[in-house]
């Protein structure tokens, strides 16, 4: 099978490419290399097309003759502030549209797997002991400034308890990156409807592992904490550290992509470990793997575009794709403390 991996020189895309090449697939990578100051570490047999998704000639060359597409290219993270909006829309919205247009012109009807994110949900699922499932209201600066981080029931004021979020939850993007990921899913789904291509969107939860980008405002929190520890400084944990996430290893995510490429199933799936932990848990696990490192510091700082808790229900991915994460949190964090970063 000839597979195009957009963003295949990057963190998750590179892990997907390694697995595809190892099993003998014919792999094409489309990547601008803008995030790679050094030459990308790609298997020798990979056909590399250098260009971004808005480079029509590069995209046309990349899609020629492919049987399947794994769309990983994107600008990720919360960025710096809203001034990043045009960059996110150009890279993620317009870039996805340009890829789909090239596929349409080629008459592509094969398998399309797109990288999405848990950020499409906004806040996760919450339950009130008296009123059942309750949607968390948008966060207010006044509450956050006062250290009131937990969402409360709009009917009775009781603090809400998080629950696993399923794929049928309403989409509620609460930052620019999240909005572009919702649009990516919608554009891909429309392409499938119009073309007959089979489309699957993988909603990644907090991915970590080797070759993760470092020392950038677009990096993930695990990478930021690890970089701090390597410099001998304490990881700065925002809010009270009790925010709950699902940390899933990049090798598991890559395996999920191959399962999705091989599956006829269509729709969106959470890709998660099924082992939720707090941000403070993660910071402490990384600090423990650095003997003599300073303990994490809980700062009370916040970012308005963050959400409090978002934890996946992993059942659909298991049923539809046969995906179950294999890397335990403790083992993955211990290894990540020494993994090479990009």
């Amino acid at each position: 099978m000839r597979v195009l991996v957009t963003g295949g020189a990057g963190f998750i895309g590179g892990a997907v490419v390694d697995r595809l090449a190892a099993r003998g697939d014919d792999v094409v990578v489309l990547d601008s290399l803008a995030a790679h100051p050094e030459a990308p570490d790609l298997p020798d047999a990979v056909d590399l097309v250098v260009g971004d998704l808005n480079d029509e000639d590069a995209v046309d060359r990349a899609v020629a003759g492919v049987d399947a597409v794994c769309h990983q290219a994107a600008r990720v993270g919360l960025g710096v502030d809203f001034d990043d909006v045009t960059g996110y829309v150009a890279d993620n919205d317009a870039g996805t549209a340009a890829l789909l247009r090239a596929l349409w012109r080629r008459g592509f009807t094969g398998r399309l797997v797109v990288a999405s994110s848990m950020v499409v949900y906004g806040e996760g699922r919450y339950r009130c002991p008296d009123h059942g499932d309750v949607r968390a209201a948008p966060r207010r600066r006044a509450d956050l400034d006062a250290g009131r981080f937990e969402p409360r029931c709009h009917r009775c004021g009781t603090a809400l308890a998080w629950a696993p979020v399923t794929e049928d939850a309403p989409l509620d993007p609460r930052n620019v990156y999240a909005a572009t990921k919702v649009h990516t899913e919608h554009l891909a789904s429309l392409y499938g409807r119009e073309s007959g291509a089979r489309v699957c969107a993988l909603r990644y939860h907090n991915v970590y592992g080797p070759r993760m980008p470092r020392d950038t405002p677009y990096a993930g929190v695990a990478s930021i904490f690890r970089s701090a520890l390597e410099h001998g400084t304490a990881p700065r944990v925002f809010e009270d550290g009790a925010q709950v996430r699902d940390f899933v290893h990049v090798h598991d995510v890559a395996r999920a992509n191959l399962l999705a490429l091989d599956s006829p199933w269509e729709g969106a799936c959470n890709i998660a470990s099924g082992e939720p932990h707090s941000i403070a848990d993660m910071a402490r696990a990384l600090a423990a793997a650095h003997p003599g490192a300073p303990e994490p510091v809980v700062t009370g700082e916040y970012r308005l575009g963050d959400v409090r808790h978002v934890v996946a229900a992993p059942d659909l991915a298991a049923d539809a794709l046969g995906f179950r994460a294999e890397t335990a949190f403790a083992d993955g964090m211990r290894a990540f403390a020494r993994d090479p970063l990009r």
Side-chain angles (χ1 to χ4, degrees):
M1 180 167 66
R2 185 169 175 83
V3 184
L4 167 63
V5 183
T6 69
F11 170 42
I12 296 173
V16 173
V17 167
D18 287 346
R19 282 186 173 260
L20 287 169
R23 76 174 191 180
D25 287 302
D26 185 11
V27 183
V28 184
V29 166
L30 174 65
D31 200 297
S32 70
L33 304 185
H36 309 279
E38 67 286 333
D41 183 18
L42 293 172
D44 292 338
V46 167
D47 182 6
L48 173 63
V49 178
V50 178
D52 67 30
L53 290 167
N54 292 299
D55 180 338
E56 187 172 344
D57 179 64
V59 175
D60 286 343
R61 285 186 285 122
V63 303
V66 300
D67 305 300
V69 176
C70 187
H71 178 32
Q72 303 294 319
R75 184 183 294 230
V76 300
L78 280 183
V80 178
D81 55 35
F82 197 82
D83 193 60
D84 282 334
V85 63
T86 54
Y88 274 100
V89 170
D91 289 349
N92 298 357
D93 295 335
T96 296
L99 171 66
L100 296 175
R101 181 181 63 179
L103 293 172
W104 176 261
R105 290 175 172 178
R106 215 215 80 192
F108 176 82
T109 59
R111 182 60 158 164
L112 172 60
V113 175
V114 298
S116 186
S117 170
M118 51 81 170
V119 297
V120 300
Y121 299 120
E123 288 284 354
R125 180 183 174 196
Y126 292 93
R127 291 189 63 81
C128 170
D130 294 323
H131 299 108
D133 278 6
V134 174
R135 295 290 296 167
R139 308 208 307 173
R140 301 187 309 161
R141 288 191 184 276
D143 290 332
L144 301 173
D145 287 340
R148 296 188 295 266
F149 301 120
E150 294 293 347
R152 293 186 172 272
C153 178
H154 65 275
R155 297 176 64 183
C156 66
T158 301
L160 300 172
W162 66 263
V165 62
T166 54
E167 289 82 353
D168 59 356
L171 303 186
D172 183 19
R174 298 196 177 191
N175 57 60
V176 170
Y177 170 61
T180 65
K181 279 301 176 182
V182 171
H183 199 203
T184 292
E185 285 196 25
H186 287 171
L187 288 173
S189 178
L190 288 169
Y191 179 83
R193 185 182 306 168
E194 293 285 332
S195 68
R198 294 173 293 111
V199 179
C200 178
L202 302 181
R203 293 175 179 165
Y204 305 151
H205 285 248
N206 289 65
V207 187
Y208 71 98
R211 296 191 295 193
M212 195 173 186
R214 66 187 300 163
D215 299 333
T216 160
Y218 306 96
V221 66
S223 176
I224 293 169
F225 286 175
R226 209 199 95 165
S227 292
L229 289 163
E230 286 184 340
H231 288 98
T233 59
R236 296 176 61 83
V237 180
F238 281 13
E239 301 183 21
D240 58 2
Q243 313 93 299
V244 179
R245 300 289 188 271
D246 185 303
F247 298 95
V248 57
H249 198 275
V250 69
H251 291 166
D252 285 323
V253 172
R255 188 166 49 82
N257 273 274
L258 268 66
L259 289 169
L261 285 166
D262 294 342
S263 168
W265 191 84
E266 298 182 72
C269 278
N270 290 324
I271 300 301
S273 70
E275 189 183 351
H277 286 272
S278 71
I279 298 292
D281 287 342
M282 188 264 289
R284 287 191 291 265
L286 287 176
H290 287 80
E295 286 294 310
V297 175
V298 176
T299 69
E301 297 170 85
Y302 66 85
R303 297 186 297 185
L304 194 62
D306 276 336
V307 297
R308 181 60 177 173
H309 306 298
V310 57
V311 174
D315 309 280
L316 181 58
D319 293 341
L321 305 178
F323 171 75
R324 293 175 178 80
E326 296 176 348
T327 305
F329 176 82
D331 296 335
M333 286 296 164
R334 193 177 305 113
F336 179 62
R338 303 300 177 198
D339 282 335
L341 299 185
R342 192 178 75 234

